[in-house]
Amino acid sequence: MTYMELHQLLDANFKVVTPLGLTDKQREDKKTYIGGSTAKLIWDGKWDEAYDRITGKGEDLSGIFHVQLGNVTEKFNLAWQADANDWELRFEDEAIRHPKYPFIGALVDAIGKDNEGEFVIDAKHISELNEWNTIEKVSERYYWQAQNNMRATAIERFCLSIISGNKLLKPIWIPFDYDRA
């Protein structure tokens, strides 16, 4: 993929969005299912926060710089990683719901495809890795979001594409947990 093709991909996928990178429709839809971030809150026993998030009363992240930086760099992150790894990407505008349990949903960043098949891919922009912010801790932080999103999409592969500071890391693969997901 050339720089021009990358730029066109970014332009084609850039939409006017409300804070958090969501359209108004996506924001309303998120009130009707348990998504990946909410799944982590539930797993951590933060029931009140989970309830607030589902009902749309959660913390307003629109003024938090690092959250908005992640939104702005998301498509670039995905496009660069796809080019570097020869992946195909498919973007979904609406949440994907579990076929049997529609209260489980995932508004995925993208669905990737490589020579092993499809996978859910999530783009993150985090601070630089250090002794307190390791690959293992990042993987733990997003573990339940990964499990939820794999369960909702019925795709049993999950990849984190992470920009750490100003470096794009190698993809981090989180396996599907058949016993707990």
Side-chain angles (χ1 to χ4, degrees):
M1 177 180 289
T2 67
Y3 174 77
M4 235 7 203
E5 291 170 327
L6 178 64
H7 187 70
Q8 289 169 343
L9 173 67
L10 294 172
D11 281 348
N13 286 291
F14 185 78
K15 298 180 176 115
V16 176
V17 294
T18 57
L20 296 179
L22 302 177
T23 64
D24 288 336
K25 183 179 183 314
Q26 290 168 334
R27 186 181 305 283
E28 283 303 308
D29 192 40
K30 282 184 80 67
K31 295 177 184 177
T32 66
Y33 65 88
I34 296 171
S37 299
T38 307
K40 176 166 179 19
L41 291 173
I42 291 169
W43 185 258
D44 289 345
K46 298 178 180 176
W47 297 97
D48 290 341
E49 282 183 59
Y51 177 80
D52 288 347
R53 176 154 308 163
I54 292 169
T55 58
K57 299 173 188 164
E59 179 184 7
D60 178 9
L61 303 177
S62 62
I64 299 178
F65 177 79
H66 68 271
V67 172
Q68 297 309 315
L69 181 61
N71 288 334
V72 171
T73 60
E74 181 179 296
K75 295 286 193 237
F76 176 71
N77 175 337
L78 294 169
W80 197 277
Q81 196 73 271
D83 184 53
N85 292 288
D86 198 30
W87 295 340
E88 295 174 29
L89 294 179
R90 183 178 84 234
F91 297 94
E92 302 286 338
D93 289 332
E94 295 184 11
I96 300 170
R97 303 293 187 104
H98 187 281
K100 188 174 178 183
Y101 307 106
F103 58 87
I104 299 173
L107 187 57
V108 300
D109 292 346
I111 303 292
K113 186 175 181 183
D114 62 11
N115 59 355
E116 294 180 42
E118 286 191 321
F119 55 94
V120 179
I121 183 169
D122 211 16
K124 302 292 182 191
H125 192 159
I126 64 170
S127 60
E128 292 204 38
L129 295 177
N130 57 45
E131 63 186 280
W132 300 281
N133 195 30
T134 64
I135 293 293
E136 293 77 24
K137 288 183 180 177
V138 170
S139 295
E140 286 175 21
R141 186 176 316 135
Y142 295 108
Y143 181 82
W144 288 109
Q145 182 174 349
Q147 298 307 315
N148 181 86
N149 292 357
M150 286 186 281
R151 176 63 72 192
T153 60
I155 298 172
E156 296 182 355
R157 296 175 65 211
F158 186 92
C159 175
L160 282 174
S161 178
I162 296 180
I163 296 173
S164 174
N166 66 355
K167 296 172 182 65
L168 183 66
L169 303 180
K170 291 181 181 176
I172 299 172
W173 296 92
I174 298 176
F176 185 73
D177 187 333
Y178 291 94
D179 295 326
R180 299 190 295 173

